[in-house]
Amino acid sequence: MERCFPPEGRFHTAQFFSVYNNRMNDIRYYSGVTTYAPAETYRNEWQQTAWYAATKR
């Protein structure tokens, strides 16, 4: 992890919004790697991506 994502190359915002608690949350820990699953609106399109095929279980 350190070799792929050295600390000096990790950038992040101070907070993120979560629909789970409907508020902004402080970012206290991070690895430098982020993923995002799109909203239901684009679910079918998302499931057609190579990333989805390679990572689904």
Side-chain angles (χ1 to χ4, degrees):
M1 184 73 135
E2 292 295 317
R3 288 174 47 204
C4 292
F5 303 100
E8 64 273 11
R10 299 178 195 167
F11 304 100
H12 67 87
T13 57
Q15 297 181 315
F16 69 97
F17 179 80
S18 175
V19 29
Y20 293 110
N21 62 9
N22 202 33
R23 67 180 181 89
M24 296 299 290
N25 298 275
D26 292 337
I27 296 176
R28 297 185 186 138
Y29 305 98
Y30 65 96
S31 65
V33 179
T34 302
T35 61
Y36 170 72
E40 292 294 318
T41 305
Y42 301 105
R43 183 179 188 146
N44 292 333
E45 292 85 350
W46 176 56
Q47 290 178 341
Q48 300 302 313
T49 64
W51 182 88
Y52 178 84
T55 59
K56 73 178 185 176
R57 294 179 185 210

